[in-house]
Amino acid sequence: MNKQSPGRNTDNKNHGSDSTEEKSSCPICFKNFTVSQIEAHVNRCLFLSSGSTSNEKKIAFGSISLQEKRHHEETECTYSPKKLKEENVESVYPSCSQNVKVVTKLAQVEGSVPLAEQMRPSSFQEYIGQAHVLGHNTILRSLLNNNEVPSMILWGPPGCGKTSLAHIISKQCQSRSTQSFRFVKLSATMAGVNDVKEAVKIAKNELASFKRRTILFMDEIHRFNKLQQDIFLPHVESGCIVLIGATTENPSFSLNSALLSRCRVFVLEKLAAPDIIQILMSAAERLNLAVVGASEPTQSLLSIDKESIDWLADMCDGDARIALNSLHMALKTCSGQSKPVRITLGDIEEGIKRSHLLYDRKGEEHYNVISAMHKSIRASDDNAALYWLARMLEGGEDPVYIARRLVVCASEDVGLEDPNALTLAMSAMQACKLIGMPECGLFLAHIATYLSRAPKSREVYNALGEAKRCVREHKGALPSVPLHLRNAPTKLMKQLGYGAGYNMRDRHSSNLSYMPPGMEDLDFFGKSDTKKQQ
């Protein structure tokens, strides 16, 4: 007992010394740890929050002294470990500062993180495009600046800035002194309902314990079916979570109507070429990549022609991710050279081709483009009809699907003005089935041009609509077929008067009525808006 008691006293003393040891706040999660624990914890936080770049950041933080870490916290992370690394090298070797910068930037190019991810904006000042949604004095911008984040659905094509907007909101949540929100990011391509339930469980604890609400960003939310989307409903309605969903599909078709009623839909458009150019110029500046004219000399170790930037902006079809990653690819091909490198338009055109079009055979563009072709034919615009036809063919659309729509167009819009159009459209569809791509594209162009130039008549289409409306809106029971129009295949039917008095003469000379009693004066063709499309 006497031997053990000093040991217990020693433990108590050690424990007391730990409790009085100076504590420091983690710049990542803002939790307090002792000086002896803070370094290991920061490394762990960096690993959990930075993904593929964690090893690089661990090494960088390992080389920074404790005083530098405190200064890092006090300045609110105004510099990164990469920047500190650059500054230290330059201070030791000032004569090599330019080469150090180029080598460092080339190391970033050769890294595993795509350039599009490296260039992701952290504030609204860095965000480019979508002025109709995030411009000054817009509703969403005002709400976010006032730390009011509504539940919303961000709908737009790939590479238009949906995830970047969520990233900015995440950075705002981290920088707010009040810390009234925490940000959780999930992707419907990898997460399931159980992951959402776990996030909601933690969100409830945060709200109850710290009065802190949770923003749940669900990327590719349309990957959840409508039954799975029900998991969000009670928690969004109660305010436990603020849902931000990102989707490339039309929310009217891909999202639950109950969820849409609880979220505001913001439509993001494809980025214009000037916006893409601005993004590429920012990336070039960050990588110390000089942008020069085609005939302009340069002393820079790494440069690119201005016309190459313009070509990338035009080629990417409004997708900033495609543009940045294409630039990344062009830089990687020449990053191993020791002599000064200049990227010309010819170098980029040789290695990068237009490999995509915004066309989804099962998505909204599938219906938008076929509708545009049909309406162009209806308006007798043969140039527009061929353009939309080419868009579908280049996007990989099934040619038989296009041919079926042309058959419909021949009957619906050309109609009786050129009865031969329907025969030609059917022949084109049969030829597409027999020959296939790419030759059948010519058949489709042939019939699309023919239908565009043919005279138009919607008389039959409109008359059929009037007849259907008459049937739908008839009050009471529908009238029975007159006896003289009924078929009489049996003796009993003949005895009942079926077919009695019927003759095969013209309606004007047969003295018979072929409409139900009381409807003899109806004229569906006369009620049509026009017999010919003007």
Side-chain angles (χ1 to χ4, degrees), residues 514-531:
Y514 294 88
M515 290 286 282
M519 302 177 65
E520 294 85 357
D521 296 331
L522 285 180
D523 183 4
F524 300 126
F525 295 92
K527 287 186 177 181
S528 299
D529 293 335
T530 55
K531 290 190 176 182

Side-chain angles (χ1 to χ4, degrees), residues 273 276-277 280 304-319 322-328 330 343 345 348-349 352-354 356:
I276 300 293
I277 291 175
L280 291 173
I304 185 172
D305 290 347
K306 176 63 169 60
E307 60 180 2
S308 301
I309 296 289
D310 297 338
W311 185 84
L312 281 174
D314 293 332
M315 178 276 302
C316 69
D317 194 29
D319 189 332
I322 292 289
L324 288 169
N325 290 341
S326 297
L327 177 62
H328 196 176
I343 303 172
L345 178 58
I348 290 187
E349 286 182 333
I352 302 173
K353 303 295 183 183
R354 182 187 290 269
H356 81 291

Side-chain angles (χ1 to χ4, degrees), residues 56 81 110 147 174 186 189 225 231 238 270 287 303 383 386 416 429 435 439 508 530:
E56 182 180 358
E110 294 176 351
N147 203 26
Q174 296 175 10
L186 295 176
T189 58
N225 61 43
I231 188 66
S238 65
K270 286 197 297 185
L287 297 174
S303 61
N383 283 303
L386 279 182
L416 297 178
M429 183 172 68
I435 305 300
E439 290 81 1
H508 298 293
T530 55

Side-chain angles (χ1 to χ4, degrees), residues 59 63 195 247 386 414 457 518:
I59 295 172
S63 63
D195 299 294
T247 177
L386 279 182
V414 177
S457 171

Side-chain angles (χ1 to χ4, degrees), residues 50-62:
S50 62
S52 60
T53 60
S54 59
N55 293 332
E56 182 180 358
K57 291 188 177 181
K58 282 183 186 178
I59 295 172
F61 261 99

